Amino acid sequence: MVTGNGHINGGAASPSAVDQTVADAIAAADIYHSCGTTYLHIDNPLTTNSSAAMNHDANPTGAVVPLISLATTFRQNTPGEPMARSDPNSWGMGYEYSRTGNPTRGVFERAVAAAEKTKYCVAFSSGSAATSAVIHLLSPGEKVLSIDDVYGGTQRYFRKVVNPRMGIDVDFVDFGNEDEVQSKLKSGDGKIKLFWLETPTNPTLKVTCIRSVADLEKQNNALLAVDNTFCSPYFQNPAELGADLVVHSVTKYINGHSDVVMGVVCTNDEDIYKQLRFTQNGVGAIPSPFDCFLALRGLKTLHLRMEAAARNANAIALFLEKHDCVSKVVYPGLKSHPQHEIATRQQNGYGAMITFYCIGGREQAAKILQNLRVFALAESLGAIESLAESPSLMTHASVPDEQRKLLGIEDTLIRLSVGVESCVDLILDLDSALNAALSGVAVK
């Protein structure tokens, strides 16, 4: 039968019977893990009878998209008693001042929480601001144990701000190396209170078993934060695997159109949520209502964009793996990826990020990037257009040279964020750029 969330269970359908042909057609159409309804409606109108699910309370005008509320302050009928506490987008707080709560921001936060399958979500003006809010959960003298291959901006913040200026030590480790992890925990002397994980990592796409790290952090009375930007809520839900906090740069896949800078932190823990909300209001690093509107619009097509981009990425990864001018390709969907089995087990798909190493050196890598015509040479990722960059010279230039070498962030490494253009055009573009840049260079 057809269930309320769109799955086909076989047998008679409700409300009306369907034959196998129709059932097969429905199954073929619903390849999105039933995410589409959640992304568009937050509360499924077929399974939730609340007025919030029908948008009656939050949008009495009948408009089918949330309104952009630009008001900075809100009228009160009684001093100290904010209005609209019943509005689900106010998270039970009502509205008094837009830094504290905004209707447009509230509906976006509820939508991301639903997408990440968590109870709470708090939005910030950037992914870096979201990261900072998580660090604000700690106290001076406590420690962070972070994955070694981490976004360049995050490691820079950890090394140059958190460690020297906040009195919070940060150490880096490969969570896949049990001996190294245990050594770090032993030297941490019980002060490690936050595990910071990216999986897949940026830019080498290392995959770590979230559940294993979650078990470890609970044994050590700590918190686990997972930066889920590369997978998006569509391909991975870390909270279901034991993470206490899920962080996103909304700028990337959630928004998906290269026109918003924003971040979020999601959690199921009410106390953590309250602390994050306090920091959001106290520090004031909030996104604008218009940015929230745009990001919400982007979220509504996340499932469509992720599937299209991932199909392109899989084909491109296979193509690059066979190319004479490429020495190595790293993509979680390839069986050659060292953590392919972990990615298959904990993710719903392999994503649209690819890292590859070209033959030659820095000069050849630069020429490849300069010869691309469909891919744009630009930082960032996760948008509908395809982007290419050199992490050693761009996004991860702030990582110390010695650390870059240890992590494999070499001058020949090129990171691709695959978009939704024609797959044929993207492959032709890469082939042309590789051949032009490496003409006369010895190939494999």
Side-chain angles (χ1 to χ4, degrees):
M1 66 180 292
V2 183
T3 64
N5 59 5
H7 291 295
I8 307 298
N9 290 341
S14 177
S16 59
V18 297
D19 62 19
Q20 192 59 46
T21 301
V22 176
D24 290 344
I26 295 173
D30 190 21
I31 63 172
Y32 306 108
H33 322 301
S34 299
C35 290
T37 304
T38 300
Y39 295 169
L40 268 71
H41 298 284
I42 305 177
D43 298 300
N44 192 326
L46 294 179
T47 58
T48 306
N49 294 321
S50 69
S51 58
M54 303 305 294
N55 289 317
H56 289 165
D57 287 348
N59 203 337
T61 66
V64 298
V65 296
L67 305 180
I68 302 174
S69 176
L70 299 177
T72 59
T73 191
F74 300 84
R75 179 182 292 110
Q76 299 181 23
N77 290 331
T78 302
E81 291 293 330
M83 297 174 63
R85 290 186 186 274
S86 63
D87 180 355
N89 299 325
S90 79
W91 294 89
M93 300 184 297
Y95 303 109
E96 54 185 32
Y97 188 63
S98 200
R99 171 166 45 80
T100 308
N102 175 275
T104 313
R105 187 170 80 230
V107 70
F108 172 69
E109 291 172 332
R110 288 181 58 233
V112 176
E116 266 298 359
K117 302 177 182 178
T118 59
K119 294 180 181 178
Y120 310 104
C121 171
V122 182
F124 297 89
S125 56
S126 68
S128 296
T131 299
S132 176
V134 173
I135 296 300
H136 274 78
L137 296 171
L138 305 180
S139 300
E142 295 181 335
K143 298 183 178 182
V144 178
L145 188 60
S146 170
I147 186 79
D148 51 2
D149 180 29
V150 69
Y151 165 55
T154 299
Q155 64 79 30
R156 181 177 61 235
Y157 170 64
F158 284 169
R159 286 191 305 106
K160 295 191 175 184
V161 178
V162 175
N163 197 329
R165 299 186 181 184
M166 299 176 67
I168 297 172
D169 288 339
V170 182
D171 211 346
F172 298 90
V173 70
D174 177 359
F175 280 107
N177 186 326
E178 292 186 18
D179 291 339
E180 186 181 354
V181 171
Q182 290 301 326
S183 176
K184 297 289 186 182
L185 289 173
K186 186 176 180 179
S187 63
D189 199 26
K191 295 181 180 180
I192 296 175
K193 297 301 178 183
L194 176 67
F195 289 48
W196 184 274
L197 183 62
E198 285 182 11
T199 179
T201 59
N202 182 1
T204 65
L205 301 181
K206 184 190 303 182
V207 176
T208 302
C209 178
I210 296 173
R211 196 173 295 281
S212 295
V213 179
D215 291 342
L216 192 62
E217 58 93 5
K218 287 173 175 58
Q219 294 169 15
N220 288 271
N221 193 31
L223 296 173
L224 171 59
V226 177
D227 185 334
N228 198 32
T229 298
F230 268 33
C231 273
S232 86
Y234 181 69
F235 280 137
Q236 185 170 262
N237 299 116
E240 292 196 324
L241 300 171
D244 301 291
L245 303 112
V246 182
V247 180
H248 284 277
S249 172
V250 173
T251 312
K252 314 307 192 292
Y253 285 111
I254 290 178
N255 179 63
H257 291 80
S258 298
D259 53 12
V260 166
V261 173
M262 195 191 303
V264 294
V265 184
C266 302
T267 185
N268 284 315
D269 187 289
E270 184 177 5
D271 181 61
I272 291 175
Y273 161 71
K274 289 180 178 179
Q275 293 181 67
L276 291 169
R277 187 67 77 185
F278 182 86
T279 297
Q280 179 198 50
N281 183 49
V283 174
I286 56 168
S288 74
F290 187 65
D291 281 352
C292 291
F293 172 82
L294 288 176
L296 180 60
R297 185 173 66 170
L299 177 64
K300 290 179 179 181
T301 60
L302 178 65
H303 54 307
L304 306 176
R305 292 183 284 106
M306 294 305 294
E307 284 287 350
R311 286 195 297 269
N312 279 350
N314 181 67
I316 290 170
L318 290 169
F319 164 76
L320 289 173
E321 201 169 38
K322 301 290 186 181
H323 203 287
D324 289 340
C325 297
V326 175
S327 62
K328 181 181 178 181
V329 181
V330 185
Y331 177 65
L334 294 176
K335 292 183 179 179
S336 59
H337 190 288
Q339 295 92 37
H340 172 72
E341 291 185 5
I342 296 176
T344 301
R345 185 169 64 247
Q346 76 181 12
Q347 298 172 202
N348 294 317
Y350 301 112
M353 298 300 299
I354 300 173
T355 286
F356 74 91
Y357 297 79
C358 70
I359 300 295
R362 174 181 289 193
E363 180 182 353
Q364 284 70 38
K367 286 182 178 179
I368 291 170
L369 292 168
Q370 290 163 0
N371 276 282
L372 291 170
R373 292 178 292 173
V374 181
F375 281 86
L377 172 56
E379 296 191 2
S380 199
L381 59 104
I384 51 175
E385 61 272 358
S386 294
L387 306 175
E389 64 116 2
S390 169
S392 68
L393 297 176
M394 298 168 69
T395 55
H396 290 70
S398 64
V399 179
D401 292 344
E402 183 178 335
Q403 184 68 9
R404 281 207 307 270
K405 184 177 181 180
L406 289 173
L407 294 173
I409 306 175
E410 302 171 6
D411 289 342
T412 57
L413 184 155
I414 292 175
R415 191 189 75 181
L416 301 178
S417 173
V418 180
V420 299
E421 300 95 336
S422 160
C423 186
V424 173
D425 289 340
L426 293 173
I427 287 177
L428 288 173
D429 191 32
L430 286 166
D431 188 44
S432 175
L434 284 163
N435 292 331
L438 295 164
S439 176
V441 178
V443 296
K444 63 182 180 182

